[in-house]
Amino acid sequence: MRDRILVFLSERGTLADPEAVDFLLEQQDPLAMADLLLQSFRDPPLVITLEDILHAGMIARAAAERAPPAPAMETARSPPPRPAPPPPPVAPAAFRGSGTCAADVSEDIKILKDITGRSTCEGTIDDFSRYFRHRFQTLSRLLRSRPELAGALDVYKAKRLTRETRIIGIVKDVRTTKNGHRILELEDETDSVSVLVPSDSGLGADTIVDDEVVGVGGFCNDRGLFIAKSINHPDIPVSKAFPRTAERVRVAFMSDVHVGSRTFLADRWAKFRAWACNGDEVGRSLRYLVLSGDVVDGIGVYPRQDEELVLDDIYVQYEAFAAMLGELPDHLKVILLPGNHDAVRPAEPQPALPSAIQKLFDSNVLFVGNPCTLSLHGVRILAYHGRSLDDFVSSLPGMTYAKPLEAMREMLRKRHLAPMYGGKTPIAPEAEDHLIIDAVPDIFVTGHVHAAAIGEHRGVILANSSTWQSQTSYQKMHNIEPMPARLPVVDLHTGEAILKAF
Ligand code: D5M
Ligand code: FE
Ligand code: ZN
């Protein structure tokens, strides 16, 4: 059946990634579902992802809700309207096999990378130049290890040659000319050069943002302009396999609980608590809960926030959240990182919450910084609140708050969580750039945008971890539609991911 689906799609000019095919295979009639799915796209993507399927389901549902009731009788001449395709289910809601009882499995957590206790920066000019030097050196080393960029030259040298060469640099500026060509200002430690990415070069779809490190192949023309023929991002070079754990326990990802806000969804949380305490086999197999920031709404985070708070004391907010976590089963280990609403410096990397707040919680909660790389039974998890998603959405056409996985894929391609400096994401110029994705994670999770999605990029499982807050007045003003009370859960044995709704 897998082959039949692939042939069916390729005959219609598209492909599907393995997760999307798995999803279709789980449906009652996979080919009919694939057909409906293709009908739902105005422009089918080159490769259909699981996220595309979930998105198509949401659109179909919204359209069905908006559709006027069907007329009682059709006139003889008008053809009957085509029935709207039934929406595919929102996401796989169940694992294929059953899990181990979490209470029987001992904890295995290693913190692999975290700024907490190691911050050195004071924000001086020296700090900034050292920070960017570290970013350039680390990512250019990664790029240089790719066969496409072997023998890359210094910019100073490449500018003085007319033959084809390869260079690596940090993008200081990117702009589009009125003819649709793009011009990058590329800089390394020796010199800088203007790079022309011609509109007809086939590189039009390549996403380039300020301050990322890229490799470019091409040649310098007689006016000193470097004409690009190829562009390389560090990316995840080859699709990787998931490292199976011996025990079949699961990890859930949550963020943006926003306790203290009027819009916190207490009823949905109660459903989650009931499920975690005496729910199904997935609930019983849940060993870890990674909380990726914005656990409380905070104080003074945005103008006139006090009008939207029911708890206006930061300690009372954390106390309330600590009590909520205290009601979850003892065998559920919580790993908590801060977000932009939490009581710690907003500049990233953010250290763990201060001890005055930590002591409000019981010992089942492990406090880490944002971002944090940790290992659970050998499975490497990169958790990041996701503030830079704002910068991706505001600077790249095609990126939306509803589809955060696209921006997350760009982060992996650029091997950086927040490449754009000086946007909405405040960055502290630490001695090392902690926002570089140096080791390849097995699971990459973000929150912040209050969406809910699971997907994949070159073998890395992606998740965006929803929210427990309904639409705020700010989000209403900006047309941001949240997807609250969803819980991505990943099986650490198989790497399967599901999205549970409450
Ligand atoms: O962010 C929740 C969502 O709302 C996220 O998609 C960003 C958006 N948001 C919130 N405040 C702002 C501002 N000031 N600018 C741009 N986008 C914003 P949260 O961090 O939970 O408030
Ligand atoms: Fe949030
Ligand atoms: Zn946030």
Side-chain angles (χ1 to χ4, degrees):
M1 184 46 98
R2 178 176 291 273
D3 288 343
R4 280 177 61 199
I5 293 180
L6 289 172
V7 169
F8 179 87
L9 292 175
S10 70
E11 280 171 357
R12 286 154 185 81
T14 184
L15 296 165
D17 72 12
E19 271 214 329
V21 179
D22 285 347
F23 180 84
L24 291 171
L25 283 170
E26 279 167 17
Q27 310 307 314
Q28 250 184 359
D29 185 344
L31 283 177
M33 187 56 92
D35 195 22
L36 284 176
L37 181 65
L38 287 179
Q39 290 173 31
S40 73
F41 291 120
R42 205 177 312 151
D43 237 323
L46 206 55
V47 181
I48 297 173
T49 64
L50 182 56
E51 195 192 14
D52 293 323
I53 299 182
L54 305 184
H55 195 67
M58 283 178 337
I59 291 172
R61 237 190 316 282
E65 278 162 18
R66 276 197 307 272
M73 261 203 308
E74 295 295 330
T75 61
R77 259 181 291 164
S78 67
R82 201 179 178 148
V90 170
F95 291 111
R96 278 188 281 259
S98 50
T100 315
C101 192
D104 299 337
V105 176
S106 45
E107 182 182 305
D108 180 358
I109 307 179
K110 289 183 191 71
I111 303 301
L112 303 175
K113 195 172 167 196
D114 183 352
I115 186 68
T116 307
R118 301 177 54 219
S119 173
T120 55
C121 82
E122 289 159 10
T124 64
I125 301 284
D126 276 355
D127 283 347
F128 281 98
S129 46
R130 186 181 56 175
Y131 169 82
F132 280 109
R133 205 160 47 239
H134 181 264
R135 178 187 295 200
F136 173 73
Q137 286 172 349
T138 309
L139 291 173
S140 65
R141 211 175 307 124
L142 210 58
L143 278 163
R144 208 173 276 278
S145 70
R146 306 280 186 262
E148 302 88 339
L149 289 166
L153 298 180
D154 286 343
V155 169
Y156 178 85
K157 190 152 183 206
K159 270 172 89 168
R160 281 151 187 84
L161 300 171
T162 49
R163 67 172 165 88
E164 205 166 314
T165 57
R166 289 165 271 204
I167 53 176
I168 296 172
I170 188 160
V171 177
K172 298 317 288 180
D173 184 41
V174 43
R175 60 185 192 275
T176 305
T177 69
K178 59 181 187 303
N179 301 325
H181 308 303
R182 273 184 299 176
I183 297 184
L184 323 178
E185 295 304 325
L186 205 65
E187 187 178 296
D188 72 0
E189 287 167 318
T190 64
D191 205 346
S192 63
V193 66
S194 299
V195 176
L196 175 77
V197 185
S199 60
D200 60 357
S201 60
L203 302 170
D206 198 278
T207 299
I208 300 170
V209 300
D210 284 351
D211 305 312
E212 74 166 303
V213 179
V214 293
V216 184
F219 60 90
C220 233
N221 71 9
D222 48 12
R223 283 179 299 158
L225 191 63
F226 196 92
I227 315 296
K229 291 176 79 176
S230 61
I231 296 175
N232 287 93
H233 300 270
D235 210 332
I236 311 294
V238 281
S239 195
K240 52 171 285 303
F242 192 81
R244 303 165 145 263
T245 57
E247 303 88 4
R248 205 168 164 167
V249 284
R250 275 89 183 232
V251 53
F253 297 99
M254 186 187 272
S255 67
D256 300 271
V257 190
H258 289 274
V259 171
S261 158
R262 278 184 201 290
T263 42
F264 165 65
L265 293 163
D267 52 338
R268 312 288 282 275
W269 180 273
K271 281 190 188 168
F272 160 72
R273 183 190 54 212
W275 171 80
C277 293
N278 39 37
D280 53 17
E281 72 86 15
V282 180
R284 285 190 296 278
S285 68
L286 207 59
R287 186 69 180 83
Y288 304 98
L289 176 65
V290 175
L291 274 163
S292 302
D294 284 5
V295 296
V296 299
D297 207 55
I299 307 283
V301 180
Y302 56 86
R304 299 175 63 182
Q305 187 187 13
D306 48 332
E307 293 167 16
E308 307 202 14
L309 292 176
V310 280
L311 306 176
D312 59 3
D313 178 318
I314 189 83
Y315 285 96
V316 175
Q317 291 181 4
Y318 280 108
E319 261 165 14
F321 186 55
M324 286 158 56
L325 291 185
E327 290 172 346
L328 299 179
D330 289 343
H331 62 254
L332 185 60
K333 179 76 186 185
V334 176
I335 296 135
L336 192 158
L337 47 143
N340 53 307
H341 283 249
D342 285 287
V344 70
R345 82 168 184 199
E348 298 176 6
Q350 297 178 279
L353 289 172
S355 58
I357 286 169
Q358 291 191 19
K359 67 181 187 218
L360 304 173
F361 291 77
D362 66 36
S363 60
N364 224 11
V365 183
L366 175 66
F367 293 87
V368 296
N370 168 46
C372 178
T373 305
L374 64 143
S375 136
L376 299 179
H377 303 261
V379 174
R380 182 181 278 265
I381 298 175
L382 171 60
Y384 172 52
H385 177 63
R387 185 84 197 258
S388 70
L389 292 168
D390 290 335
D391 292 314
F392 279 95
V393 171
S394 61
S395 58
L396 294 175
M399 297 270 166
T400 65
Y401 279 120
K403 294 184 91 180
L405 300 192
E406 278 311 311
M408 291 173 71
R409 289 191 181 98
E410 285 303 331
M411 294 180 201
L412 290 173
R413 284 190 193 113
K414 301 175 191 324
R415 296 290 286 265
H416 203 285
L417 294 170
M420 290 157 265
Y421 186 83
K424 290 181 177 147
T425 313
I427 294 178
E430 296 290 344
E432 292 184 0
D433 184 350
H434 284 254
L435 302 169
I436 289 175
I437 305 172
D438 40 14
V440 178
D442 300 307
I443 304 175
F444 174 31
V445 58
T446 62
H448 185 58
V449 292
H450 299 202
I454 50 180
E456 181 271 344
H457 176 69
R458 298 199 170 175
V460 181
I461 298 168
L462 308 176
N464 184 264
S465 54
S466 183
T467 178
W468 297 79
Q469 181 181 41
S470 61
Q471 194 180 43
T472 62
S473 49
Y474 178 89
Q475 291 161 357
K476 196 171 182 141
M477 226 157 55
H478 289 80
N479 235 344
I480 299 173
E481 195 68 56
M483 271 185 81
R486 309 296 209 280
L487 189 72
V489 184
V490 177
D491 186 309
L492 290 176
H493 175 67
T494 60
E496 274 176 278
I498 65 165
L499 198 52
K500 265 198 82 72
F502 294 92

